[in-house]
Amino acid sequence: MIPSVLPTYNRAPLQFVKGEGAWLIEADGRRFLDLGAGIAVNALGHAHPALVEALTSQAQNLWHVSNLYQIPQQQALADKLVETTFADTVFFTNSGTESCELAVKMARKYFYDKGQPDRVEIITFEGSFHGRSSAGIAAAGSEKMTKGFGPLLPGFVHLPWNDHDAVAAAISDKTAAILIEPVQGEGGIRPLPDTCMKGLRDLCDEHGILLILDEVQCGVGRTGKLFAHEWAGITPDIMMVAKGIGGGFPLGAVLATEDAASGMTAGTHGSTYGGNPLGCAVGCAVMDAVADPEFLAEVNRKAGLLRQKLEGLVASHPEVFEEVRGSGLMLGLKCKAVNIDVVNAGYDNEVVTVPAADNVIRLLPPLNLTDEDIAEALQRLEKAAKQVAAA
Ligand SMILES: Cc1ncc(COP(=O)(O)O)c(C=O)c1O
């Protein structure tokens, strides 16, 4: 008999009932160190006082009104994002997938309105993940995500990861945009080198096409800059955001330049819940914390510390691990052992990590984890590695 919850997930036999900072408490009382943060969502850990305050005080006043009306919390969050990024304008969604939908629509509408309605193609890359909607799976294009769900949304051109010549050759008079994650998350924590990111920006400028960055997983302080593309010193035309921006409350956004957004006039897009007062009140509190240069400096310091310790772990367990990769607190351990076995051994030792493609385990801890948390994480990962090696 089918379970009452549609069985689309392979769930671990863990039931967390409470969270405190970087810690999760299981129903049986065990305390797990959370290096997954709900897949890069709980940017400020669990039950952060500023987020609890923002949510509860908003909840006592007003939950929902609809985008038929002015929403001051939405305006405040849009202003913060415009002030701190390349963007001139922001649309709020509830998830990364919805951000992908709008990014694709925005790029196509841009060229339609410019009198180039045939420019509909979007170049995407092997190993990418942009969500599970029809546009998201068509954008990623992998058989794993698309099989059985045809007919697929047309207009996506899939290229190998990190192959500049292939991109240059694929751009045609049908190309509207290049869509890429600056650091692939689901694909196995694969950072795009800065030179390649600059190369993509140059190609877009040369051909007058749009650069869309998917910073759903790598954005909001995760790599040690507010947004990952800042490391390459470039700016996109359109950027997808979600996960960390809500700190655990469902919230996403599409950020764009005035030019890229020019086709999105009244009536061209909308969302019932997108930008609701609860989500935006929390988003403002997240931005107040994460956009602070001192906070980001701490993310970078802790990332350096964690990475150094992880290099030691990999060196002392060459039979389990191959390498450390990633950027900031978006780290991956490429495994020699089966990655799921390492994740499961982590559960046995009360540390949470997240599997990814390419036999990688992801470490995406809360950005405000402490030095003590890092020391504890290493002890637990060490025990997990020994367990896997002994098996
Ligand atoms: C890079 C990227 N884009 C898009 C998505 C989809 O986001 P959501 O699951 O919030 O719809 C994800 C989710 O993992 C992601 O990592």
Side-chain angles (χ1 to χ4, degrees):
M1 204 173 71
I2 193 164
S4 57
V5 174
L6 190 73
T8 58
Y9 299 106
N10 283 317
R11 296 175 196 269
L14 293 168
Q15 197 177 133
F16 297 115
V17 293
K18 192 171 165 56
E20 291 166 357
W23 293 84
L24 283 168
I25 293 116
E26 220 273 344
D28 64 9
R30 282 179 298 158
R31 290 175 64 85
F32 286 68
L33 186 54
D34 184 8
L35 302 182
I39 319 188
V41 167
N42 304 98
L44 298 178
H46 301 279
H48 188 283
L51 303 199
V52 173
E53 163 60 22
L55 184 65
T56 52
S57 61
Q58 184 58 46
Q60 274 155 16
N61 284 309
L62 190 64
W63 290 26
H64 176 80
V65 287
S66 154
N67 285 303
L68 289 171
Y69 313 103
Q70 312 286 324
I71 300 177
Q73 298 77 14
Q74 193 180 120
Q75 183 64 53
L77 182 53
D79 289 346
K80 284 179 200 292
L81 288 165
V82 165
E83 202 177 297
T84 50
T85 70
F86 73 96
D88 300 313
T89 189
V90 183
F91 181 93
F92 290 104
T93 69
N94 306 286
S95 67
T97 302
E98 289 168 69
S99 295
C100 177
E101 291 294 318
L102 173 56
V104 168
K105 283 178 69 176
M106 188 182 278
R108 290 179 172 170
K109 186 68 163 36
Y110 174 82
F111 284 106
Y112 181 87
D113 282 9
K114 298 257 178 223
Q116 299 181 64
D118 293 336
R119 274 202 188 267
V120 294
E121 282 182 1
I122 297 180
I123 292 175
T124 62
F125 297 90
E126 168 267 320
S128 64
F129 185 85
H130 303 294
R132 299 286 195 157
S133 63
S134 294
I137 62 173
S142 68
E143 197 190 345
K144 188 176 154 215
M145 264 184 280
T146 57
K147 196 173 171 191
F149 295 113
L152 295 180
L153 187 68
F156 293 94
V157 175
H158 305 105
L159 298 182
W161 177 248
N162 200 2
D163 182 345
H164 184 82
D165 294 342
V167 184
I171 295 173
S172 73
D173 56 6
K174 293 218 164 9
T175 310
I178 296 173
L179 163 58
I180 192 163
E181 293 158 82
V183 184
Q184 279 194 348
E186 306 298 311
I189 308 293
R190 297 199 291 178
L192 188 74
D194 289 349
T195 49
C196 299
M197 182 62 89
K198 286 193 190 108
L200 292 182
R201 178 70 268 176
D202 290 345
L203 280 176
C204 287
D205 291 343
E206 206 180 303
H207 295 274
I209 60 174
L210 301 172
L211 179 62
I212 307 173
L213 296 182
D214 181 344
E215 294 230 16
V216 167
Q217 194 161 147
C218 63
V220 193
R222 177 67 36 204
T223 67
K225 294 271 191 198
L226 187 55
F227 288 100
H229 65 265
E230 293 171 32
W231 288 111
I234 60 106
T235 57
D237 301 292
I238 300 173
M239 180 167 72
M240 297 154 51
V241 177
K243 290 187 181 276
I245 187 74
F249 195 92
L251 177 66
V254 174
L255 280 62
T257 63
E258 183 168 7
D259 185 40
S262 57
M264 302 309 294
T265 50
T268 54
H269 198 64
S271 166
T272 294
Y273 291 120
N276 68 80
L278 292 170
C280 289
V282 178
C284 282
V286 169
M287 281 296 289
D288 287 345
V290 176
D292 179 348
E294 281 178 30
F295 181 90
L296 291 170
E298 267 295 281
V299 171
N300 285 305
R301 186 188 64 77
K302 283 179 218 163
L305 183 64
L306 178 57
R307 189 167 188 134
Q308 183 197 2
K309 289 183 187 257
L310 290 173
E311 298 283 1
L313 177 77
V314 169
S316 55
H317 295 284
E319 70 290 13
V320 180
F321 301 114
E322 212 172 295
E323 64 162 351
V324 186
R325 52 164 93 149
S327 175
L329 287 174
M330 184 170 184
L331 293 167
L333 293 175
K334 164 97 172 149
C335 298
K336 273 205 193 121
V338 178
N339 64 345
I340 305 293
D341 292 347
V342 182
V343 170
N344 286 334
Y347 294 150
D348 291 343
N349 291 282
E350 292 159 23
V351 59
V352 174
T353 61
V354 182
D358 202 24
N359 205 32
V360 162
I361 68 166
R362 274 177 282 181
L363 310 184
L364 311 158
L367 303 178
N368 58 350
L369 89 168
T370 64
D371 289 9
E372 294 73 48
D373 293 334
I374 291 175
E376 191 62 45
L378 262 292
Q379 282 185 19
R380 291 174 187 226
L381 290 170
E382 180 75 41
K383 283 192 202 155
K386 282 193 179 136
Q387 187 178 317
V388 171

